[in-house]
Amino acid sequence: MITTLTVTLLLLTAQPPVTPYPTGDALTKQAYHLASAKSVPTPKVTVDTTVAPDLAEWGKHAGELMEQWYPVVWNLLGTQDAKPMSAIKVTFQLKQDAPAYATGGGIFVSVPWVRAHPDDFGMMIHEMTHLVQAYPGSRNTPGWLVEGIADYIRWWRYEPEAPRPKITEKNKYTDAYRVTAYFLAYLTHKYDHGLVQKLDKAMKTRAYSDSLFETSTGKKLDDLWAEFVAYQTR
Ligand SMILES: [Zn+2]
């Protein structure tokens, strides 16, 4: 772990930044008023690594990390009227398609994935964010934004030192995951520090529409995307 981290840091310092936002840039240092955030009861995280005893330590660390970060994620999203979970169960499985996925009360983790990617604790933050999102089913809730918010929390709040994805004209805000996450970070920084909370809160009540972006920033979603791409590729 330490060796890999050191190598990553060396690579980061040895190479030119992959985007206009290198480590330590303005977007990385977005200010959030977490000091004034309300305290949230931490759910008890239990981790079942029965099928892979070699991952017991990894699982223990993941559980501790989730207990640490649950209240942070809670305060970064639009949870004012929501109820925090009292318990989260993490279950390791020998066979599953996704590296990890979240369902109502828990997270399922792929044993082969973790063995091959022992640094990937960030995926647990992504999946835990889905538990905090907990959107009711709705045609108004776009999948790209659900995944974009989960990756925003992961890549911009949990591990903001990670290299940024390269955005080109071929991308679209609906690409989800890291592309949408980057877009959200840009908008949050430039227009509205409460944007992600507002989007999350709307989806919690089946009330999301693209016009929320305009309400929050004064500009239409497509225009905001064009502006972001131009900023990236200038
Ligand atoms: Zn996801």
Side-chain angles (χ1 to χ4, degrees), residues 162-174:
R164 305 305 178 207
K166 181 93 183 119
I167 308 292
T168 72
E169 275 96 355
K170 289 180 183 158
N171 287 116
K172 189 84 170 73
Y173 57 82
T174 50

Side-chain angles (χ1 to χ4, degrees), residues 140-142 144-145 149 184 187 191-192 194-221 224:
N140 297 339
T141 299
W144 59 266
L145 187 55
I149 288 179
L184 291 173
L187 296 178
Y191 292 102
D192 182 0
L195 175 65
V196 172
Q197 283 97 330
K198 289 173 191 168
L199 297 171
D200 178 70
K201 191 161 198 302
M203 291 195 285
K204 279 177 166 44
T205 53
R206 298 186 172 91
Y208 171 82
S209 97
D210 287 354
S211 65
L212 271 176
F213 281 89
E214 188 173 1
T215 311
S216 179
T217 68
K219 294 182 181 173
K220 290 191 188 310
L221 181 52
L224 291 166

Side-chain angles (χ1 to χ4, degrees), residues 59-81:
K60 183 167 175 281
H61 180 64
E64 289 166 357
L65 202 60
M66 289 168 65
E67 288 182 352
Q68 254 175 16
W69 273 80
Y70 189 92
V72 179
V73 175
W74 186 266
N75 278 303
L76 287 169
L77 296 185
T79 50
Q80 298 88 337
D81 302 322

Side-chain angles (χ1 to χ4, degrees), residues 68-104:
Q68 254 175 16
W69 273 80
Y70 189 92
V72 179
V73 175
W74 186 266
N75 278 303
L76 287 169
L77 296 185
T79 50
Q80 298 88 337
D81 302 322
K83 191 170 174 289
M85 300 169 78
S86 56
I88 298 174
K89 183 158 192 221
V90 179
T91 308
F92 283 64
Q93 300 196 112
L94 291 173
K95 284 186 183 170
Q96 67 179 47
D97 290 337
Y101 63 91
T103 65

Side-chain angles (χ1 to χ4, degrees), residues 2-230:
I2 288 170
T3 312
T4 314
L5 180 65
T6 311
V7 170
T8 309
L9 289 173
L10 284 174
L11 284 173
L12 280 175
T13 43
Q15 294 176 347
V18 292
T19 76
Y21 297 125
T23 301
D25 66 11
L27 263 74
T28 302
K29 291 177 182 162
Q30 292 176 58
Y32 282 93
H33 307 290
L34 286 180
S36 60
K38 62 178 178 179
S39 69
V40 180
T42 301
K44 176 76 193 143
V45 178
T46 53
V47 182
D48 183 352
T49 51
T50 309
V51 298
D54 58 306
L55 297 182
E57 271 305 305
W58 197 97
K60 183 167 175 281
H61 180 64
E64 289 166 357
L65 202 60
M66 289 168 65
E67 288 182 352
Q68 254 175 16
W69 273 80
Y70 189 92
V72 179
V73 175
W74 186 266
N75 278 303
L76 287 169
L77 296 185
T79 50
Q80 298 88 337
D81 302 322
K83 191 170 174 289
M85 300 169 78
S86 56
I88 298 174
K89 183 158 192 221
V90 179
T91 308
F92 283 64
Q93 300 196 112
L94 291 173
K95 284 186 183 170
Q96 67 179 47
D97 290 337
Y101 63 91
T103 65
I107 294 171
F108 291 87
V109 181
S110 158
V111 167
W113 178 270
V114 173
R115 284 183 181 146
H117 305 85
D119 289 344
D120 198 0
F121 289 104
M123 78 174 176
M124 303 303 290
I125 301 296
H126 175 107
E127 298 305 331
M128 193 184 71
T129 300
H130 284 323
L131 296 182
V132 178
Q133 290 175 301
Y135 304 136
S138 167
R139 280 185 312 175
N140 297 339
T141 299
W144 59 266
L145 187 55
V146 177
E147 295 303 338
I149 288 179
D151 255 13
Y152 167 78
I153 297 292
R154 175 192 177 158
W155 294 110
W156 290 90
R157 308 272 40 108
Y158 170 66
E159 40 196 343
E161 73 283 4
R164 305 305 178 207
K166 181 93 183 119
I167 308 292
T168 72
E169 275 96 355
K170 289 180 183 158
N171 287 116
K172 189 84 170 73
Y173 57 82
T174 50
D175 286 349
Y177 297 100
R178 292 179 81 163
V179 172
T180 304
Y182 199 170
F183 183 46
L184 291 173
Y186 170 79
L187 296 178
T188 297
H189 175 68
K190 182 159 183 195
Y191 292 102
D192 182 0
H193 276 200
L195 175 65
V196 172
Q197 283 97 330
K198 289 173 191 168
L199 297 171
D200 178 70
K201 191 161 198 302
M203 291 195 285
K204 279 177 166 44
T205 53
R206 298 186 172 91
Y208 171 82
S209 97
D210 287 354
S211 65
L212 271 176
F213 281 89
E214 188 173 1
T215 311
S216 179
T217 68
K219 294 182 181 173
K220 290 191 188 310
L221 181 52
D222 284 326
D223 295 338
L224 291 166
W225 177 255
E227 175 189 304
F228 175 58
V229 172

